[in-house]
Every structure is written in structure tokens, then in C-alpha cells.
Amino acid sequence: MSAQLRAVGAMSPLARRTTVRAVRHYHQLPTGGIQRAELAARSFRRSLQFPSNAYHNAVIVRNASFARLLPKLAVKFIRIPALFGGLAIGTVGWIQYQAIQVSNSAQEMYGNMMNTVTSTATTVWGSAKDIAEQTKKGWDNTKDQFEMPEWLGQIMRGEGEAGSGKRSSGGQGGPEPPKQSRVGAAAVAGASAAAYGYDQSDENDERTPEEVSKDDHMMYVTKRMIEIRNLLQKVGQSNTVTLPSIVVIGSQSSGKSSVLEAIVGHEFLPKGSNMITRRPIELTLVNDPEARTDYGEFPDLGLSKVTDFTLIQKTLTELNQSVPESLCVTDDPIRLIIHSPRIPDLSLIDLPGYIQVAGENQPRELKRKISELCDKYIRGPNIILAISAADTDLANSTALQASRRVDPRGERTIGVITKMDLVDPDKGVAILTDRQYPLRLGYVGVISKLPSQTGSLFRRETSNLLAGISRNEKAFFNSYPSEFGPESGVNTGTMTLRKKLMQVLEHQMSSKLQETTESIQRELEETTYQFKVQYNEQPMSAEAYLAASLDDFKHQFHEYTSSFGRAQLQGLLKSALDQKVLDQLAARYWNRPVEDLAIAPHEPDTIADLPKADPNSPYWHRQLDTAASGLSRLGVGRLAATVAASTVQSNIDKLLDKSSFSKHPSARRVISEAASTVLADRSYATSDGIEISIKPYKFDPDIQPNEWNQGREHVVGLLQTELDQCQAAMKSLENSVGGRKKLKEVISFVDKARKGDIVVEGDHPSGAGGFSSALLARGREAVFLRDRADIINMRIQAAKSRKCKTLDNKYYCPEVFLDAVATKLAQTAVLFLNVEMLNDFYARFPREVESKLREHMAAGGLERFAREDPKVRRHLDLIHRKELLELVLAKIEDLHRFGGGSGGGAAAGMGLRAGAREAGQAGKRSGRRFF
């Protein structure tokens, strides 16, 4: 066999692949098929050894043709001189010789190749046949020696039948169990020994193979039921849809934490003299055969695979201490999942310990709060693990008193008696066989705390904690065989408690599974009905909602881009420049420029003198040139970029307010910031380019006659708007001071003071002339508005006059000239602004939005985004609830199919299948389909 394997190893890759395929094919063929394959192989070898003579005959024919050609050539060359004839004959003879040599070489090479192929094929086929026979023989021997549990054998046989297209032998024609169930069952096969703790203690596993198979089956069912229970917790909103957990209750210092740590095999619970446990700890133990080391997970905190149990203990302590002193306890649970190949699958809930009297720094109602919190969890169908110390009277056990209130018959309560080594054996037996407080699930006595001299040794190696506890318990209980021996009828030891917890939890879950299945069917029926009525069975997901919202916003943005272009930009920029024109008119013409009076005190300084002024007056020439220069040099590029960016940003914000993103503040902020980023990226380059493009107009603005006429028409409207604003402000002042009459009195007093008819010494806080200081301030404002309105009205009439019809009189009509310059600047700037900023923004903004949203939606942001909308959140919650209920039913159906195990598992499986049939009939009676 080894020589054959070495021969196969020395083959080429092609030969090895051929051998492997031959072995597989040989192994899968029946007896007749193997014989037919051997006959075909022998026929193939004969064909290789005796190849066809076609090639050989072809070569001989070629030789014969040359031999027949030689005499004819000799006769023809007689007419040629002997020299050429002899040369030709020699040449042809040499060619014939070379052809014969080539023919012989080809025949020899072909024969060698056939021999090589024949020998190689024979060797490969023989080696493949021998390997297949040895493999088949070895598998038969292994299969004869291997003994597997009956239920596992049924699964393996079921898998084979499914692969061959056959149905099970039950005759029902139902579907086979899912492949995941068979894999899970194989994974837990034999895992009950580690879960019970036999591999960590000196105790021998004396179970029979049938008992091992039954326990492995129980572990698998329990694991799947705990998964179902965790899913049902996510469903929520219904107390009927639930499966039991084991709730641990007990008074402080009763050894409750030590019992839990002994079950887990690690010290991980908070320790301290004061009240440490202030929140329920929902502890899920997962038997994970593939886990190389024990680790814990806090799913609500995002902490996974924490292998340091000291860190787990510290985290639990900090989470409990986060509860304020004023509350002391809360029902907000801490969820902890522990994975290990050496623990059973259990669902435990650790609650704060009962107290008798509240401390000085604790609220008076603390005792009541703890009792109410525990009563909330120990209701049915949960299993109660009532912890009591052996050195206290059971009549004073707070845990048993609480359990009797909700479970008077003791059907859901397991009594755990700790500190058994602190009482006499006779008293310990009396406690464990107590008849005054009988429990159907019985009592278990444990010594869950190691002695101080050995505890430190085992705490250094936490994986040996259970081994140390088991050794200590065994030494103590074996010392009193008459009281705690096998014949005494009492349950003792942490390993016994582990077994009981697994068995009771599996039994309770199985008994409640039928009721739970029916409840889930009703819940799913109602959820499906609501989904159809409210949403017409329309699917919804966070991704789809984001895509729809983004598409809707992009559609609105596309409509905006088609409605906002160069014309709109020019109008906005012209409006901004109009305000700058008014500022220049007010500074140079309408107001009294003090600096000009200091330079030329004898020049006219009021706009009223302009129509009668000399056309060559250097004062008015200087005023117009200064105003035009100030308009063109005020930073038109920056103004244009700012106006465009602020307008586009404002419009984007308006689009967001009308879109579905208005309900999502964070996403709305991201999109708004994306617009701001794109606009700011081009702002500086755009403003710089605009300044370069308008540079010629800073020195000599070339105004055409048509531009002058357009400016004349436009400035009249601009001045009229300014006049209307002054009149509106005057009306507002009249209302604020108590009417027009009162305002006129104040204006009259201010005019007299300005003319010097009334002398007012300083600004007295109490006012002057019988008017308060606030009223006088409004009067001065009214005088300013009156004078400004008079000036604007006068300039409107001037702009409409015949003198302002021609460009030659620009110094008499500064308003028209400055308006024409502003229009020129706006038209030039908007060309550059449209290309460099607006079109670039339209192209880049959608891509920037997608990029920013992708970053924002990472790490769970997508789900949070969708749930910010109340309607979408309700839609998603309903779909999520429906999917969870369907998943739970699928897992329950998996258990129904798997319920064909041995022993107790078979009975449980019968109960599960009965529950499934009843639930299915109930679903048919409902008249609704929900699958």
C-alpha cells in the first residue's frame, strides 16, 4: 500500500488527478460497474499496445512513390548532358535516402511513445484500483467499529436519503430536517460531559451510552430553545410570547453570587460590602465547543470576546454603580453572554439581593423596590432558583417566601442550600428533605465557596474553579456517606445542580413551547394583517428609504438647476449692486459730506443745487468720479461670489425643508455642509477671476446710449422703492409715538432746535421741551426720513426730466450713470460666475452628497437615520416584528423535525410535533395565510 502511494506521489499532476478521479469513480461503482470498467480498461490497454498501421502504411507509400519515380527521371535526363544528368540523379537519390531515414525515425518515436503511454496508464489504473480497494476496506472496518447514538444515526441516514431523493421512513412524506439542525446536533454530540463538568473534576462519568445520547439531545434542544427565547425578547410588546429563564433570588450574604460563579466556573460578579447589584443581570451561557478560551460579550455595549473575566467583573461593577443613589435599583437589565466549551446552555437572571433594613445612605423604600423588582421577574413561566444559607432557618428565607407568593405549589422553584459545611450533617439532611416547604423540583445542597487556604490557589487559574469546588464538595459529602451518600436520596454538589438546571430548563421550555407556538401564530397572524392593512404589504428597509429620499431630493435639485441660471444670478447681483449705488448716492449727494466742506467750503454742498450748477463744475465732476470709482472698487468679485454662494445655499436649505430630509436633522446638516463645502471650494478662485474681468471698468466705464436709457428706466423704479420704504418707516414711527399729531409736535421741536430758535444744552436723560429723550430720538429719526424722502422725490423728478435723457448730462444725473455702471459690472461678473461657480456646483454637489452621506451612515447610522421618521420607524418595526416571528416559527419547526431522539427527547419531540399540528390547525381556522 505504501509503495503504491509513493508511486502515485511520483506521478505528474495530470496523472495524480486521473488517479484520484479513478479512485472516486471506482469507489462509487457497483460490482457490475466495476467489472465493466475493468473490461474497458483492458480494451484501452490493447488499443495502446497495438496501434493502427495507418501511419506506417502512409510512410511506406511515400517510399514506394519515390522508387517508381526514379526510372522515369533517369530516362528523361538522358537527353541532358551527362554532367547535369548525373547531378540530378545524385540529388534525387540523396533526397530518397533522407526520406527513408525520417520515416524510420518517426516509426521508432511513435512506438516509444505508445509504449510509454501504455505503461503509464496501466500503472495509474492499477494503483487507483488498489487505493480504492484499501480505502473501501479501511472504511468498512472503521464503520464496523464505530458506534454512534441512535438519534445521530437517524440524522446521518436521513441526510443520505435526502441526497438520494428519498423520503423518511415515517411515511408522512414531510420535508427532511434542515441541514443546520443536523450539523448542530453533531456539534453537541458528547458535549454534555464537558457541560456537566466531568472534565474539570475528579468525578467519573458513569452514564450509559443511552444516557449520554439523551443528555446530548437535551443540550441541543436547550440551545435552540434559548436562541428562540432571545429572539422572542426582541419581539416584545406581548407577555404571552415568551419562554422561561432561570431567575436567581436570595438575600444578601446567602451565597447567591458564589453559586452563579460556580456554575460558570469563573469569578466575574461584582463584590463588595455595600449593595453592589443594582440592576438585573441577564446572563446567557452558551456551550461553544469551538471556543478555544472562555470569553464574555456585552451586546448592548458593543464589547465582544472579552477573555479577561476580571475586566468583565469591573464592567459589571461600573454598570451597577451608574445607578444613582436616589434610585438604588432599576429594572434596566445588563445583558452578558458567556461562551465556553465547559458550560451548559442556560439562561439565567441575577437579581439584587433581598434586604431586611435599608442603610443610612439608602432610600427608605429600597426594600420595597427590591421586592417589586424580584416579583416582576419570578412570575411564570420563569424558573425560580431560591438561594438560602444552611445556617439560617428556612422559615426566615426571603427567597422561599417570595417564591411561595407566585409559585405556591413549588412547581417552578428549585431550592439551593449553600454553606452546607457550616451545619451538622443531620441538620443538613433535614434541610434538604424539608417537608414544611416542599418543592416538586427539590433542594440541592452545595458548598460553592472554596476554603480560604485553597481558594487563592484556584483563583489564580480560574478554569480550575469548578474543579476545586467539586473536589471540596466531594471531600465533605463523602465524609458522611450515610447522610449524603447515593442511598440517602438527597441531591448535593454543584455538578448535580448543573444537571438539574439543564434538565429543568429543557423540560419547562418544552412544556411551554406548544403554548408559545400558538401565541406566536396568533401574533404573526395579527402582524401580517396589520402589515397588509396599513402598508399594503409594501416592503421597506433603511437602505430603500434612504435611496428613495435621496432620489426625491435629487429630482428637486434637478428642477432647481433648470430654473436657476445666469439670468437669475445677474438679477441677484444687480440687486446687491443697487444697494451699493444707493450707498454711494447717500454718501456723495444726499448726505452732507463733511470732508468736502473742509476742502472746498465755498462750493455748493446740497443736491438741491445740482440742477442749476455749472456743467464744468469740478466739484460735481469729482463727486461722480469718486462715486463711480467707489462702486467699481468695492470688491465686486467677492460680493458676487458671496451673493451667489449665499443664494444657492439658501435655496438648498429650502429644498431640504421640503424634502423628507427635513425629518432627519443630522442628515440634513450633512447635505447642507456638503453644499457649503463645494461652494467655498470655488469661492476664492471665482472672486479673483471676476476682479480680473472687470478691471477695465475701474478706470473708464464705457457706457453706451442704450445702456444709459435702460439705467434711466431702472433707477426711477429703484428710487421709488427707496421712497416707499422711507414712507413706511415714517408710518411706523407715527404708530410708535401715539399718532401723526404727536410726531409732528416732536418734529417741530427738533426743527426749531436745529435752526437755533430753541437752545438745548446737551442730551439730558430726562429730555427737553416736555419730550422724553426716547421721544426726541424718534423725532430726529422722523426728521431724517422726511428730508430723505424729499430728496428722493426730487431726484425721481430729475431722472424723469428731459435733461437726463442724454449721456452728455451724466453729471446732472448721477443716479442714472451709477445704475448703468452697476449693470455693466453685473453683466460682466455673471459670465465668469456662471461658469466657474454655478455650473461646477451643479456637477459636483450630487456626488459630494452621496460621499458625505455614505460616511455619515457608516457604523449603524443608516438604521438610526430611517428610524428618525416616526412613520418609517413604525413601518420598519412592523416588518422587523414579522420577520422575527417567522424566524422563531422556522426554528420551532426545526425542533419539531428534530424531535425524533431517544428517551426523554422523543417524548419532548412528540409534544413539540403535537403543538405544531395544533398551531397549524389554529392557523387554518383563522382564515388567513401568513406563510
Short mmCIF file of all heavy atoms in Angstrom, two decimals, residues 373-418:
data_model
loop_
_atom_site.label_atom_id
_atom_site.label_comp_id
_atom_site.label_asym_id
_atom_site.label_seq_id
_atom_site.Cartn_x
_atom_site.Cartn_y
_atom_site.Cartn_z
N LEU A 373 -39.07 44.53 42.19
CA LEU A 373 -38.25 44.13 41.04
C LEU A 373 -38.16 42.62 40.93
O LEU A 373 -38.29 42.05 39.84
CB LEU A 373 -36.85 44.74 41.17
CG LEU A 373 -35.85 44.38 40.07
CD1 LEU A 373 -36.33 44.88 38.72
CD2 LEU A 373 -34.47 44.96 40.38
N CYS A 374 -37.95 41.95 42.04
CA CYS A 374 -37.87 40.49 42.02
C CYS A 374 -39.21 39.87 41.65
O CYS A 374 -39.26 38.88 40.90
CB CYS A 374 -37.40 39.98 43.38
SG CYS A 374 -35.70 40.42 43.79
N ASP A 375 -40.32 40.44 42.18
CA ASP A 375 -41.64 39.89 41.84
C ASP A 375 -41.92 40.01 40.35
O ASP A 375 -42.63 39.17 39.77
CB ASP A 375 -42.72 40.64 42.63
CG ASP A 375 -42.69 40.29 44.11
OD1 ASP A 375 -42.03 39.29 44.47
OD2 ASP A 375 -43.30 41.03 44.91
N LYS A 376 -41.36 41.03 39.70
CA LYS A 376 -41.57 41.21 38.26
C LYS A 376 -40.93 40.07 37.48
O LYS A 376 -41.48 39.63 36.46
CB LYS A 376 -40.98 42.55 37.83
CG LYS A 376 -41.03 42.80 36.34
CD LYS A 376 -40.36 44.12 35.97
CE LYS A 376 -40.33 44.33 34.47
NZ LYS A 376 -39.65 45.61 34.11
N TYR A 377 -39.80 39.55 37.93
CA TYR A 377 -39.07 38.53 37.19
C TYR A 377 -39.45 37.10 37.57
O TYR A 377 -39.26 36.18 36.77
CB TYR A 377 -37.56 38.72 37.39
CG TYR A 377 -36.95 39.76 36.50
CD1 TYR A 377 -36.85 41.09 36.89
CD2 TYR A 377 -36.48 39.44 35.23
CE1 TYR A 377 -36.29 42.06 36.08
CE2 TYR A 377 -35.92 40.40 34.39
CZ TYR A 377 -35.83 41.71 34.83
OH TYR A 377 -35.29 42.66 34.01
N ILE A 378 -39.94 36.88 38.79
CA ILE A 378 -40.20 35.50 39.21
C ILE A 378 -41.60 35.04 38.83
O ILE A 378 -42.02 33.94 39.21
CB ILE A 378 -40.00 35.35 40.74
CG1 ILE A 378 -40.97 36.25 41.50
CG2 ILE A 378 -38.56 35.64 41.11
CD1 ILE A 378 -40.84 36.11 43.02
N ARG A 379 -42.31 35.85 38.07
CA ARG A 379 -43.60 35.40 37.57
C ARG A 379 -43.40 34.30 36.54
O ARG A 379 -42.34 34.14 35.96
CB ARG A 379 -44.36 36.58 36.95
CG ARG A 379 -44.69 37.69 37.93
CD ARG A 379 -45.24 38.89 37.20
NE ARG A 379 -45.47 40.03 38.09
CZ ARG A 379 -45.73 41.26 37.68
NH1 ARG A 379 -45.77 41.52 36.38
NH2 ARG A 379 -45.92 42.24 38.56
N GLY A 380 -44.50 33.54 36.30
CA GLY A 380 -44.43 32.47 35.32
C GLY A 380 -44.19 33.02 33.93
O GLY A 380 -44.53 34.17 33.64
N PRO A 381 -43.56 32.25 33.08
CA PRO A 381 -43.15 30.86 33.25
C PRO A 381 -41.72 30.68 33.75
O PRO A 381 -41.16 29.59 33.62
CB PRO A 381 -43.29 30.31 31.84
CG PRO A 381 -42.89 31.47 30.97
CD PRO A 381 -43.35 32.71 31.68
N ASN A 382 -41.10 31.74 34.28
CA ASN A 382 -39.71 31.64 34.69
C ASN A 382 -39.52 30.64 35.82
O ASN A 382 -40.41 30.45 36.67
CB ASN A 382 -39.19 33.02 35.12
CG ASN A 382 -38.96 33.94 33.94
OD1 ASN A 382 -38.83 33.48 32.80
ND2 ASN A 382 -38.92 35.23 34.19
N ILE A 383 -38.33 30.03 35.83
CA ILE A 383 -37.95 29.08 36.88
C ILE A 383 -37.24 29.85 37.98
O ILE A 383 -36.39 30.70 37.72
CB ILE A 383 -37.03 27.98 36.30
CG1 ILE A 383 -37.73 27.29 35.13
CG2 ILE A 383 -36.64 26.98 37.37
CD1 ILE A 383 -36.78 26.50 34.25
N ILE A 384 -37.59 29.56 39.22
CA ILE A 384 -37.04 30.29 40.37
C ILE A 384 -35.94 29.45 41.00
O ILE A 384 -36.17 28.27 41.36
CB ILE A 384 -38.13 30.61 41.40
CG1 ILE A 384 -39.28 31.38 40.74
CG2 ILE A 384 -37.56 31.40 42.57
CD1 ILE A 384 -40.49 31.55 41.64
N LEU A 385 -34.78 30.04 41.12
CA LEU A 385 -33.67 29.41 41.83
C LEU A 385 -33.52 30.14 43.15
O LEU A 385 -32.90 31.21 43.23
CB LEU A 385 -32.38 29.49 41.00
CG LEU A 385 -31.22 28.60 41.46
CD1 LEU A 385 -31.58 27.14 41.28
CD2 LEU A 385 -29.95 28.91 40.66
N ALA A 386 -34.16 29.59 44.19
CA ALA A 386 -34.21 30.24 45.50
C ALA A 386 -33.00 29.84 46.32
O ALA A 386 -32.84 28.66 46.69
CB ALA A 386 -35.50 29.86 46.23
N ILE A 387 -32.11 30.82 46.60
CA ILE A 387 -30.86 30.56 47.32
C ILE A 387 -31.10 30.85 48.80
O ILE A 387 -31.56 31.94 49.18
CB ILE A 387 -29.72 31.45 46.79
CG1 ILE A 387 -29.62 31.34 45.26
CG2 ILE A 387 -28.42 31.07 47.45
CD1 ILE A 387 -29.23 30.00 44.75
N SER A 388 -30.76 29.89 49.63
CA SER A 388 -30.86 30.05 51.08
C SER A 388 -29.62 29.46 51.72
O SER A 388 -29.08 28.45 51.25
CB SER A 388 -32.12 29.36 51.64
OG SER A 388 -33.29 29.83 51.00
N ALA A 389 -29.16 30.08 52.80
CA ALA A 389 -27.99 29.58 53.51
C ALA A 389 -28.41 28.51 54.51
O ALA A 389 -29.48 28.58 55.12
CB ALA A 389 -27.28 30.73 54.23
N ALA A 390 -27.56 27.49 54.68
CA ALA A 390 -27.89 26.39 55.58
C ALA A 390 -27.89 26.82 57.03
O ALA A 390 -28.58 26.20 57.85
CB ALA A 390 -26.90 25.24 55.36
N ASP A 391 -27.15 27.87 57.36
CA ASP A 391 -27.06 28.28 58.76
C ASP A 391 -28.17 29.24 59.15
O ASP A 391 -28.10 29.88 60.20
CB ASP A 391 -25.71 28.94 59.02
CG ASP A 391 -25.42 30.10 58.08
OD1 ASP A 391 -26.22 30.29 57.13
OD2 ASP A 391 -24.41 30.80 58.28
N THR A 392 -29.20 29.39 58.31
CA THR A 392 -30.38 30.18 58.66
C THR A 392 -31.62 29.30 58.53
O THR A 392 -31.65 28.36 57.73
CB THR A 392 -30.53 31.40 57.74
OG1 THR A 392 -30.65 30.96 56.38
CG2 THR A 392 -29.35 32.33 57.88
N ASP A 393 -32.62 29.62 59.30
CA ASP A 393 -33.86 28.84 59.30
C ASP A 393 -34.60 29.09 57.98
O ASP A 393 -34.74 30.23 57.53
CB ASP A 393 -34.73 29.26 60.48
CG ASP A 393 -35.89 28.29 60.69
OD1 ASP A 393 -36.06 27.37 59.86
OD2 ASP A 393 -36.63 28.47 61.67
N LEU A 394 -35.08 28.00 57.35
CA LEU A 394 -35.82 28.16 56.11
C LEU A 394 -37.08 28.97 56.29
O LEU A 394 -37.59 29.58 55.34
CB LEU A 394 -36.16 26.79 55.52
CG LEU A 394 -35.01 25.97 54.93
CD1 LEU A 394 -35.55 24.69 54.29
CD2 LEU A 394 -34.24 26.77 53.91
N ALA A 395 -37.61 29.00 57.53
CA ALA A 395 -38.80 29.80 57.77
C ALA A 395 -38.53 31.28 57.59
O ALA A 395 -39.44 32.06 57.31
CB ALA A 395 -39.33 29.54 59.18
N ASN A 396 -37.25 31.68 57.73
CA ASN A 396 -36.87 33.08 57.55
C ASN A 396 -36.26 33.35 56.18
O ASN A 396 -35.74 34.45 55.96
CB ASN A 396 -35.88 33.49 58.65
CG ASN A 396 -36.48 33.36 60.03
OD1 ASN A 396 -37.67 33.60 60.22
ND2 ASN A 396 -35.65 32.96 61.01
N SER A 397 -36.30 32.38 55.30
CA SER A 397 -35.71 32.56 53.97
C SER A 397 -36.59 33.50 53.14
O SER A 397 -37.74 33.17 52.81
CB SER A 397 -35.56 31.22 53.26
OG SER A 397 -35.15 31.40 51.93
N THR A 398 -36.05 34.65 52.81
CA THR A 398 -36.80 35.62 52.00
C THR A 398 -37.05 35.08 50.60
O THR A 398 -38.10 35.34 50.00
CB THR A 398 -36.03 36.94 51.92
OG1 THR A 398 -35.60 37.32 53.22
CG2 THR A 398 -36.91 38.04 51.35
N ALA A 399 -36.10 34.32 50.07
CA ALA A 399 -36.25 33.77 48.73
C ALA A 399 -37.42 32.79 48.66
O ALA A 399 -38.23 32.82 47.73
CB ALA A 399 -34.96 33.10 48.28
N LEU A 400 -37.52 31.90 49.66
CA LEU A 400 -38.62 30.94 49.66
C LEU A 400 -39.96 31.63 49.90
O LEU A 400 -40.99 31.24 49.32
CB LEU A 400 -38.38 29.89 50.73
CG LEU A 400 -37.25 28.89 50.44
CD1 LEU A 400 -37.07 27.94 51.61
CD2 LEU A 400 -37.55 28.10 49.18
N GLN A 401 -39.96 32.66 50.73
CA GLN A 401 -41.21 33.39 50.95
C GLN A 401 -41.68 34.06 49.66
O GLN A 401 -42.87 34.04 49.34
CB GLN A 401 -41.00 34.44 52.05
CG GLN A 401 -40.76 33.85 53.44
CD GLN A 401 -40.43 34.92 54.46
OE1 GLN A 401 -40.43 36.11 54.16
NE2 GLN A 401 -40.15 34.48 55.69
N ALA A 402 -40.75 34.65 48.93
CA ALA A 402 -41.13 35.29 47.67
C ALA A 402 -41.61 34.26 46.64
O ALA A 402 -42.57 34.50 45.90
CB ALA A 402 -39.96 36.09 47.11
N SER A 403 -40.95 33.11 46.59
CA SER A 403 -41.34 32.10 45.61
C SER A 403 -42.71 31.52 45.92
O SER A 403 -43.49 31.21 45.01
CB SER A 403 -40.29 30.99 45.55
OG SER A 403 -40.26 30.27 46.76
N ARG A 404 -43.04 31.40 47.21
CA ARG A 404 -44.34 30.83 47.58
C ARG A 404 -45.49 31.78 47.20
O ARG A 404 -46.61 31.33 46.98
CB ARG A 404 -44.38 30.52 49.07
CG ARG A 404 -43.57 29.29 49.45
CD ARG A 404 -43.59 29.08 50.95
NE ARG A 404 -44.90 28.64 51.41
CZ ARG A 404 -45.30 27.38 51.45
NH1 ARG A 404 -44.47 26.42 51.06
NH2 ARG A 404 -46.50 27.06 51.88
N ARG A 405 -45.20 33.09 47.13
CA ARG A 405 -46.25 34.02 46.73
C ARG A 405 -46.67 33.83 45.28
O ARG A 405 -47.85 33.97 44.95
CB ARG A 405 -45.77 35.47 46.93
CG ARG A 405 -45.66 35.90 48.37
CD ARG A 405 -45.62 37.42 48.46
NE ARG A 405 -44.54 38.00 47.70
CZ ARG A 405 -43.32 38.27 48.18
NH1 ARG A 405 -43.05 37.98 49.45
NH2 ARG A 405 -42.38 38.79 47.42
N VAL A 406 -45.72 33.52 44.41
CA VAL A 406 -46.03 33.38 42.98
C VAL A 406 -46.08 31.92 42.55
O VAL A 406 -46.61 31.62 41.49
CB VAL A 406 -44.99 34.14 42.15
CG1 VAL A 406 -45.06 35.63 42.43
CG2 VAL A 406 -43.57 33.63 42.40
N ASP A 407 -45.52 31.03 43.33
CA ASP A 407 -45.50 29.60 43.00
C ASP A 407 -45.84 28.82 44.25
O ASP A 407 -44.99 28.15 44.85
CB ASP A 407 -44.11 29.22 42.47
CG ASP A 407 -44.03 27.77 42.02
OD1 ASP A 407 -45.07 27.21 41.62
OD2 ASP A 407 -42.93 27.18 42.09
N PRO A 408 -47.10 28.88 44.70
CA PRO A 408 -47.46 28.25 45.99
C PRO A 408 -47.28 26.74 46.00
O PRO A 408 -47.04 26.15 47.06
CB PRO A 408 -48.93 28.66 46.17
CG PRO A 408 -49.42 29.00 44.80
CD PRO A 408 -48.25 29.53 44.07
N ARG A 409 -47.39 26.08 44.85
CA ARG A 409 -47.25 24.62 44.81
C ARG A 409 -45.81 24.18 44.59
O ARG A 409 -45.53 22.99 44.58
CB ARG A 409 -48.14 24.06 43.70
CG ARG A 409 -49.62 24.38 43.88
CD ARG A 409 -50.45 23.89 42.73
NE ARG A 409 -50.36 22.46 42.57
CZ ARG A 409 -50.96 21.76 41.61
NH1 ARG A 409 -51.70 22.41 40.71
NH2 ARG A 409 -50.84 20.46 41.54
N GLY A 410 -44.91 25.12 44.42
CA GLY A 410 -43.50 24.77 44.26
C GLY A 410 -43.17 24.05 42.99
O GLY A 410 -42.21 23.26 42.95
N GLU A 411 -43.93 24.31 41.91
CA GLU A 411 -43.71 23.59 40.65
C GLU A 411 -42.59 24.22 39.83
O GLU A 411 -42.05 23.57 38.95
CB GLU A 411 -45.01 23.58 39.84
CG GLU A 411 -46.12 22.79 40.50
CD GLU A 411 -47.40 22.84 39.68
OE1 GLU A 411 -47.48 23.72 38.79
OE2 GLU A 411 -48.30 22.02 39.92
N ARG A 412 -42.27 25.48 40.09
CA ARG A 412 -41.25 26.18 39.29
C ARG A 412 -40.03 26.57 40.12
O ARG A 412 -39.19 27.32 39.64
CB ARG A 412 -41.85 27.45 38.67
CG ARG A 412 -42.97 27.23 37.72
CD ARG A 412 -43.41 28.54 37.06
NE ARG A 412 -44.03 29.48 37.98
CZ ARG A 412 -43.48 30.60 38.41
NH1 ARG A 412 -42.28 30.94 38.00
NH2 ARG A 412 -44.13 31.41 39.24
N THR A 413 -39.93 26.08 41.33
CA THR A 413 -38.88 26.54 42.24
C THR A 413 -37.89 25.42 42.53
O THR A 413 -38.29 24.29 42.84
CB THR A 413 -39.48 27.05 43.55
OG1 THR A 413 -40.44 28.06 43.26
CG2 THR A 413 -38.41 27.62 44.45
N ILE A 414 -36.59 25.76 42.42
CA ILE A 414 -35.52 24.86 42.83
C ILE A 414 -34.87 25.51 44.05
O ILE A 414 -34.42 26.66 44.00
CB ILE A 414 -34.48 24.67 41.72
CG1 ILE A 414 -35.12 24.11 40.45
CG2 ILE A 414 -33.34 23.77 42.19
CD1 ILE A 414 -34.16 24.03 39.29
N GLY A 415 -34.83 24.77 45.15
CA GLY A 415 -34.19 25.28 46.35
C GLY A 415 -32.71 24.93 46.36
O GLY A 415 -32.33 23.77 46.15
N VAL A 416 -31.86 25.93 46.58
CA VAL A 416 -30.42 25.72 46.65
C VAL A 416 -29.98 26.13 48.05
O VAL A 416 -30.18 27.27 48.48
CB VAL A 416 -29.68 26.55 45.58
CG1 VAL A 416 -28.17 26.33 45.72
CG2 VAL A 416 -30.14 26.15 44.19
N ILE A 417 -29.40 25.19 48.75
CA ILE A 417 -28.94 25.41 50.13
C ILE A 417 -27.42 25.55 50.08
O ILE A 417 -26.72 24.59 49.73
CB ILE A 417 -29.38 24.28 51.07
CG1 ILE A 417 -30.88 24.01 50.94
CG2 ILE A 417 -29.01 24.61 52.50
CD1 ILE A 417 -31.75 25.20 51.25
N THR A 418 -26.93 26.71 50.42
CA THR A 418 -25.49 26.96 50.40
C THR A 418 -24.90 26.79 51.80
O THR A 418 -25.62 26.64 52.79
CB THR A 418 -25.22 28.39 49.90
OG1 THR A 418 -25.83 29.32 50.79
CG2 THR A 418 -25.79 28.60 48.50
#
